[in-house]
Amino acid sequence: MTASLPRLTMFADGITAVDTEYVRPQMDAAHVVVNGVRAAIVDTGPNSAVPLILAALQELGVAPAAVDYLFLTHVHLDHAGGAGALMRALPNATAIVHPRGAPHMIDPGKLIAGTRAVYGDEPYARLYGEILPIATERLRIAQDGARFDLAGRTFECVHTPGHALHHMAIVDHATSSIFTGDTFGLSYREFDTARGAWITPTTTPTQFDPAQLKASINRLMQFRPRRLYLTHYSEVGDCPRLANDMLDAIDAFVRIARESGGDVAAMKAALRERAHAQLHEHGCTLDAAQIDAILDKDYELNAAGLAAWLKREAN
């Protein structure tokens, strides 16, 4: 795999997933949307993904100067770590960011410190590298309901707290599709079966809020989407079923958190047990070690986020 040959998955309506190669293949996607002769990008992955996205544009026949927007669903570094570097390669693009996220893109110091606190110094350096700021004049704050025109195709930014207070989803009205960031959790393609996609929440520290997340899912479903594009990992259909699965899973995560008494190790073990049981019921044929190889970091981050939520709720 080289930067000149990114892994691309092409869908209908000019939408392409670019594998950012973050941690492993098919974990983290940026999306390129081409409409006529103009393009937009949703999320970037980390800095190391910037050459892959630029190579994807070349493969798609899109000049960097033809990219009008870089939409950031939120500023966690697996979604926006490469935004500053990518913007330097896109001369006509405007970065579209939630009001709470914009300051961290202009001055990423606090974001860097927070990410180091979650991951540790060595993993941070290996995963994310140097985070570059975005110049204020190249950034536009997206209030809830803000709309942006891409060569006649309307994209609406919908604030969706729950995973993070500064989270938003991008509604592609022309195609009844939504770029959901982390609001619709994780749905890795390795777990697809004849029953379709399997989905689970992501409750990464430190702003997970179950009531907000459920409200955000319900709000997005009011748009009656036909397809969702998740950062982890890309296109899923059967949206009503997945929404119901997410709502049930959030309730299950809350029960796990409360029953653990705040014990992070107990939460991680219970999250693992639930995932294995759910995947077995879903028809997944991967063995326990293969499942854990894919989900182990998610168990850990989800447990830490649930612990942070419990602590916050108690105060």
Side-chain angles (χ1 to χ4, degrees):
M1 172 70 187
T2 67
S4 63
L5 293 172
R7 299 178 211 256
L8 305 183
T9 307
M10 297 181 186
F11 302 105
D13 305 312
I15 298 171
T16 298
V18 184
D19 194 328
T20 71
E21 306 295 329
Y22 174 72
V23 180
R24 62 175 179 82
Q26 290 196 305
M27 179 179 177
D28 185 85
H31 289 93
V32 178
V33 184
V34 179
N35 194 48
V37 297
R38 308 306 297 174
I41 298 169
V42 183
D43 286 344
T44 68
N47 267 321
S48 57
V50 171
L52 300 173
I53 295 171
L54 294 174
L57 292 177
Q58 183 176 12
E59 188 164 330
L60 294 170
V62 176
V67 177
D68 290 338
Y69 302 114
L70 171 58
F71 292 103
L72 299 175
T73 61
H74 59 304
V75 302
H76 291 169
L77 295 183
D78 55 327
H79 295 255
L86 184 60
M87 284 294 290
R88 297 186 183 197
L90 304 175
N92 296 321
T94 300
I96 310 298
V97 192
H98 189 287
R100 288 177 177 265
H104 298 290
M105 290 288 92
I106 295 167
D107 180 1
K110 288 184 179 179
L111 181 63
I112 292 168
T115 309
R116 284 183 184 275
V118 171
Y119 287 90
D121 288 341
E122 188 280 326
Y124 170 87
R126 173 170 43 83
L127 290 170
Y128 302 115
E130 181 185 5
I131 307 302
L132 300 179
I134 298 175
T136 304
E137 63 272 16
R138 298 201 60 199
L139 183 146
R140 183 168 167 186
I141 291 172
Q143 301 296 341
D144 188 33
R147 293 186 171 217
F148 299 89
D149 178 80
L150 181 70
R153 185 165 165 179
T154 299
F155 293 82
E156 181 178 353
C157 296
V158 178
H159 290 188
T160 53
H163 174 76
L165 287 170
H166 67 277
H167 199 291
M168 64 184 187
I170 317 301
V171 178
D172 180 358
H173 283 282
T175 66
S176 298
S177 300
I178 306 178
F179 297 89
T180 61
D182 281 348
T183 297
F184 258 81
L186 316 168
S187 182
Y188 297 131
R189 303 282 60 80
E190 294 95 330
F191 298 142
D192 289 351
T193 70
R195 298 185 181 184
W198 177 80
I199 204 161
T200 191
T202 170
T203 62
T204 308
T206 58
Q207 296 178 343
F208 167 69
D209 184 284
Q212 288 183 338
L213 186 56
K214 290 172 71 173
S216 291
I217 290 167
N218 286 327
R219 185 178 181 198
L220 291 183
M221 289 306 295
Q222 291 176 1
F223 290 95
R224 301 178 66 85
R226 293 187 297 117
R227 291 184 298 274
L228 305 172
Y229 292 91
L230 285 59
T231 302
H232 313 291
Y233 182 83
S234 202
E235 186 186 80
V236 294
D238 201 4
C239 305
R241 175 181 69 82
L242 294 181
N244 287 332
D245 288 352
M246 277 290 292
L247 296 173
D248 289 345
I250 293 165
D251 289 341
F253 277 33
V254 167
R255 286 194 298 272
I256 286 170
R258 294 195 192 285
E259 291 169 2
S260 75
D263 183 329
V264 176
M267 277 187 264
K268 181 177 176 181
L271 291 170
R272 177 183 182 273
E273 182 180 356
R274 180 184 186 276
H276 281 253
Q278 288 268 313
L279 285 165
H280 177 74
E281 183 181 346
H282 188 64
C284 178
T285 58
L286 299 180
D287 64 29
Q290 290 172 315
I291 292 171
D292 289 342
I294 295 168
L295 288 178
D296 190 60
K297 191 63 178 179
D298 293 315
Y299 306 145
E300 182 179 335
L301 289 172
N302 282 350
L306 289 170
W309 166 69
L310 270 183
K311 184 176 181 180
R312 195 169 64 248
E313 189 187 43
N315 293 333

